[in-house]
Amino acid sequence: MKSCCFLHHFSVLLSLSTIFSSAIAFDYADALSKSLLYFEAQRSGRLPYNQRVTWRDHSGLTDGLEEGVDLVGGYYDAGDHVKFGLPMAFTVTMLSWSVSEYGEEISYVGEMEHAFEAIKWGTDYFIKAHTSPNVLWAEVGDGDTDHYCWQRPEDMTTSRRSFKIDENNPGSDLAGETAAAMAAASIVFRKNNPHYSHLLLHHAQQLFQFGEKYRGKYDKSVGVVKNYYASVSGYEDELLWAALWLYKATDKEEYLEYVINKANSFGGIGWAITEFSWDVKFAGLQIIASKLLEEKKHKKHSHIQQQYRSKAEHYICSCLNKNNGSTNVDRTPGGLLYVRQWNNMQYVSSAAFLLTFYSDFLKKSNQKITCHGGIVDHEELFNFAKSQVDYILGSNPKNMSYLVGFGPNYPKRVHHRGASIVSYRENKGFIGCTQGYDYWYSRNGPNPNVLIGAIVGGPDNQDEFNDDRANYVQTEACTYNTAPLVGIFAKLNFLSSNNPPLISSF
């Protein structure tokens, strides 16, 4: 990563960020409610009676039929209709982490049931997709043929062929992330649905064993995914990540030992990373390990803990522009973290979550971190995370909310098939593969359906944003953009409400 700017620019960026942030008071409760609504718009399968996004209807009802398996359900990842296993699993992991960490704050807004539903829609699908201990269905649909068509999901005519990983075609990264998602979700459902929680844990443990025993990258086994969700970071981070979540869910030492023993050979304490995403889990792993291994019962692992923590704090310092030289994350003139051109907001939302989580850890343990550029306390860390969230909500040079449906000014031409075509509920007339391109894709007007709660790809490195349906780099939204912000919106709402301390129920 290149350094975004020289140190003397840093104070200018901070000043800009402060000006934007102090100018607007946001309704974080509204942002939370809208963010959870978005997942209902992304549902595949038979929609439930309490579906709130009424411009959607049933879709993908024959998924898996060709292969003799029931793969109906789950989520479309973005504006198309392929069900990609890896980003879907990461989305569920982050939703579950949000709820397990900030559940009381979500309950305070009255949104816990919707959060449970968002998670369960994903985990119900994973249970179906895990048809035997060493078989996991990785994808439904094909990105290439899907992208030839511009149709509502209810009208789909594209291939719904399904692809799997198994003993002969391994995918440790996909098995690991799905195991992490189910383990994290099992924590969420432990009290209100113990049977379901136990079932999720059973699947998570089997999937971890499968991924560990039959090692390999899933994009080698499922070649069609390479142009869309290639596993660039390999599978080691997902296996460590899965083991860590299984330890959190079970308290079984064997999983912690795995995270300790493989820390070096799998890169857990080797990789100094400046992004956290559906592909690269190292920073999240390092941050959880830093907090977990701080506990007294883990003191025998303190030498490994310190190395995990060193890498975790490298990530944090890079986000704060306080690392040495070229290992800082770039920023736009308006102060937004900028990792790369395509769908940059995914890295912003995931960074905001990790920084908030680590700020809580520093506050509770009364600690600070030392970056090359100085000492950082929990408050500075949290304030920076908040500045990123506020930028997304409209505190930026364009005064544009990148959370669709939030505030007076937000993207109206989101790159999303279902949102950009008249609702199936309003007009059941079939819209063909190219017909959607001919009439709906090229329309200048706003989408007929508002994709409430979606976070689009966002502005470029100069804070510029072109609200154009064809500009998919900036206007396409993904489930993993929104998922990390669910908990933070709840926390920010609670803090802004000046409420008494919450009693933890997780």
Side-chain angles (χ1 to χ4, degrees):
M1 299 289 165
K2 294 176 182 174
S3 173
C4 96
C5 40
F6 299 104
L7 285 175
H8 66 268
H9 284 163
F10 183 57
S11 58
V12 177
L13 294 182
L14 275 182
S15 305
L16 276 170
S17 181
T18 305
I19 291 165
F20 293 138
S21 296
S22 60
I24 307 169
F26 293 110
D27 185 345
Y28 298 112
D30 185 47
L32 169 62
S33 299
K34 286 181 161 68
S35 68
L36 286 168
L37 195 61
Y38 165 62
F39 294 97
E40 296 191 23
Q42 295 303 111
R43 285 171 170 171
S44 181
R46 185 166 294 281
L47 302 185
Y49 72 94
N50 61 349
Q51 170 80 10
R52 295 177 297 159
V53 178
T54 54
W55 51 267
R56 282 294 324 284
D57 210 333
H58 311 312
S59 64
L61 298 183
T62 60
D63 284 358
L65 191 64
E66 231 178 285
E67 291 76 22
V69 58
D70 176 8
L71 296 175
V72 176
Y75 286 114
Y76 304 122
D77 71 303
D80 53 18
H81 302 138
V82 185
K83 295 192 303 206
F84 293 104
L86 188 58
M88 195 194 306
F90 180 68
T91 295
V92 171
T93 306
M94 294 310 296
L95 278 172
S96 301
W97 194 3
S98 273
V99 172
S100 62
E101 202 61 38
Y102 302 110
E104 297 80 12
E105 291 89 339
I106 294 170
S107 292
Y108 180 79
V109 186
E111 288 290 346
M112 189 54 99
E113 281 306 312
H114 293 137
F116 285 154
E117 286 168 10
I119 294 166
K120 195 170 184 293
W121 195 267
T123 50
D124 281 353
Y125 173 76
F126 298 146
I127 290 168
K128 287 181 170 186
H130 185 213
T131 48
S132 65
N134 297 337
V135 175
L136 177 65
W137 292 87
E139 179 176 329
V140 179
D142 162 32
D144 292 345
T145 56
D146 183 89
H147 285 165
Y148 292 143
C149 296
W150 195 263
Q151 289 174 291
R152 302 174 295 199
E154 296 83 4
D155 291 329
M156 264 190 290
T157 55
T158 50
S159 165
R160 299 308 283 172
R161 187 183 165 195
S162 304
F163 305 86
K164 67 180 176 180
I165 55 170
D166 55 26
E167 295 169 14
N168 299 317
N169 306 282
S172 304
D173 28 28
L174 176 62
E177 185 59 60
T178 311
M182 294 174 107
S186 78
I187 297 170
V188 169
F189 292 110
R190 189 180 285 155
K191 287 195 175 179
N192 78 320
N193 195 342
H195 173 75
Y196 189 66
S197 173
H198 183 75
L199 178 64
L200 291 175
L201 206 47
H202 174 70
H203 281 280
Q205 289 172 311
Q206 280 193 344
L207 281 165
F208 176 71
Q209 287 165 3
F210 166 43
E212 163 58 23
K213 187 173 180 182
Y214 301 96
R215 292 189 197 168
K217 282 173 58 174
Y218 92 117
D219 59 11
K220 284 190 175 177
S221 299
V222 184
V224 292
V225 83
K226 274 191 175 166
N227 290 334
Y228 302 95
Y229 289 102
S231 181
V232 178
S233 72
Y235 58 76
E236 291 87 353
D237 52 337
E238 276 87 7
L239 287 177
L240 289 169
W241 180 240
L244 198 55
W245 278 107
L246 278 163
Y247 176 68
K248 281 170 70 69
T250 64
D251 214 26
K252 286 184 179 176
E253 283 295 315
E254 65 192 85
Y255 295 117
L256 183 66
E257 291 297 327
Y258 188 93
V259 175
I260 297 298
N261 294 337
K262 303 278 189 189
N264 190 41
S265 60
F266 277 13
I269 56 176
W271 283 103
I273 296 291
T274 54
E275 71 176 68
F276 176 55
S277 67
W278 58 265
D279 179 33
V280 190
K281 313 294 156 47
F282 285 112
L285 160 77
Q286 290 155 355
I287 277 171
I288 295 180
S290 300
K291 180 184 176 184
L292 200 64
L293 295 173
E294 182 83 4
E295 295 169 14
K296 283 182 182 175
K297 63 179 177 177
H298 302 315
K299 286 302 175 193
K300 62 179 178 177
H301 302 304
S302 61
H303 61 296
I304 297 290
Q305 189 261 352
Q306 286 305 322
Q307 292 177 74
Y308 268 120
R309 183 164 180 170
S310 169
K311 293 298 186 287
E313 293 183 355
H314 176 277
Y315 171 82
I316 288 160
C317 296
S318 73
C319 290
L320 292 170
N321 257 178
K322 291 195 171 186
N323 267 342
N324 188 20
S326 61
T327 57
N328 286 320
V329 180
D330 287 1
R331 287 198 205 166
T332 68
L336 183 73
L337 290 170
Y338 193 83
V339 175
R340 57 180 59 90
Q341 182 185 16
W342 193 312
N343 189 21
N344 181 61
M345 280 305 188
Q346 64 173 308
Y347 308 107
V348 179
S349 63
S350 59
F353 184 89
L354 291 189
L355 297 182
T356 302
F357 176 83
Y358 209 77
S359 166
D360 290 345
F361 163 56
L362 292 179
K363 185 178 182 180
K364 285 171 189 167
S365 57
N366 195 26
Q367 296 182 68
K368 298 178 181 179
I369 62 175
T370 305
C371 299
H372 184 269
I375 306 290
V376 176
D377 63 13
H378 72 87
E379 219 168 322
E380 180 180 348
L381 196 51
F382 177 71
N383 287 340
F384 179 72
K386 180 179 181 294
S387 77
Q388 298 301 294
V389 175
D390 287 350
Y391 185 110
I392 291 171
L393 295 181
S395 184
N396 56 61
K398 302 287 280 187
N399 293 314
M400 164 78 80
S401 164
Y402 295 105
L403 181 73
V404 177
F406 183 86
N409 184 27
Y410 55 83
K412 305 294 195 300
R413 298 167 188 82
V414 181
H415 181 93
H416 188 278
R417 289 158 175 73
S420 68
I421 302 174
V422 63
S423 167
Y424 182 80
R425 299 268 180 108
E426 283 181 37
N427 181 354
K428 289 184 168 55
F430 175 75
I431 294 170
C433 173
T434 56
Q435 193 183 345
Y437 273 118
D438 293 342
Y439 184 72
W440 295 100
Y441 182 77
S442 54
R443 284 174 80 241
N444 288 327
N447 289 349
N449 310 302
V450 181
L451 192 65
I452 292 171
I455 292 176
V456 296
D460 65 16
N461 61 355
Q462 296 299 311
D463 301 298
E464 291 300 322
F465 179 78
N466 178 22
D467 185 13
D468 182 341
R469 205 170 292 114
N471 179 21
Y472 48 82
V473 169
Q474 292 190 322
T475 63
E476 189 164 25
C478 300
T479 55
Y480 44 86
N481 295 15
T482 296
L485 291 183
V486 167
I488 310 178
F489 286 148
K491 180 182 173 73
L492 288 169
N493 171 69
F494 191 79
L495 290 175
S496 64
S497 303
N498 295 316
N499 291 298
L502 292 164
I503 298 167
S504 176
S505 60
F506 282 87

